[in-house]
Every structure is written in structure tokens, then in C-alpha cells.
Amino acid sequence: EITITMAGQDFALGPDFYVIRSKDAESGKERCQMGIKTLRFRRSGISLWILGDPFLRKYYSVWDAEQKRIGFAPAKAREVLMAEAMIV
């Protein structure tokens, strides 16, 4: 498990969220990759983390452009969402 801390709040992610598993086309062996990436800009020295789908599958996000802020809350499991969905 890894923990990402933003604004003093901890967000835990287990390997089911951040490890991307795929099969190598040539060897047929399973490959594992980290689903979270970092970028470092050499000139400015700034580093950024791209949390992407692994983070957003576990945490729902709300964007407030006016106040320039983002909120996060645990996302509901897909099974719960499907059970609550209204079918028309």
C-alpha cells in the first residue's frame, strides 16, 4: 500500500489500484507497471505526479474552478453504483 498526502490529508492506495498488469505479447509472461507516474522538468526543477486512473478509481473528485480547489472522497464500489443506478 502507498499513501499520497495532499494538504495534510492521507489517501491510501493498495496495489489493486496502482499496479497495472498486462501480458507480454511475445513471451506470454505477466508484466506489472506502476500506474502512477512522475515528471520532472529539468529547467525549473519542478516535479509533478500524475495520479490518473489509479487514484480516480478509488477517490471521487470535485473540481471548484472559482475557488481554485479540488475535493476528494472515497468513491463507491462499481457494484454499489450499478445496484443504485436507475435503469430506464
Side-chain angles (χ1 to χ4, degrees):
E1 183 167 291
I2 61 172
T3 302
I4 298 161
T5 304
M6 291 185 275
Q9 180 69 41
D10 290 340
F11 299 91
L13 285 178
D16 288 348
F17 288 94
Y18 67 83
V19 174
I20 298 171
R21 291 180 172 85
S22 62
K23 200 168 261 192
D24 184 275
E26 292 179 24
S27 68
K29 293 182 180 179
E30 184 178 48
R31 296 180 348 173
C32 296
Q33 295 179 308
M34 180 79 152
I36 296 172
K37 304 291 181 193
T38 184
L39 291 176
R40 181 172 170 86
F41 297 94
R42 291 184 188 147
R43 288 187 183 186
S44 65
I46 294 173
S47 292
L48 299 174
W49 285 90
I50 300 174
L51 303 176
D53 288 345
F55 186 81
L56 295 175
R57 274 183 286 166
K58 184 161 183 188
Y59 296 101
Y60 177 77
S61 62
V62 177
W63 302 77
D64 183 349
E66 271 186 30
Q67 298 296 317
K68 297 180 181 179
R69 61 186 181 177
I70 303 169
F72 298 106
K76 289 185 176 184
R78 186 178 197 287
E79 296 79 19
V80 173
L81 291 175
M82 295 305 287
E84 291 179 353
M86 183 189 311
I87 300 173
V88 179

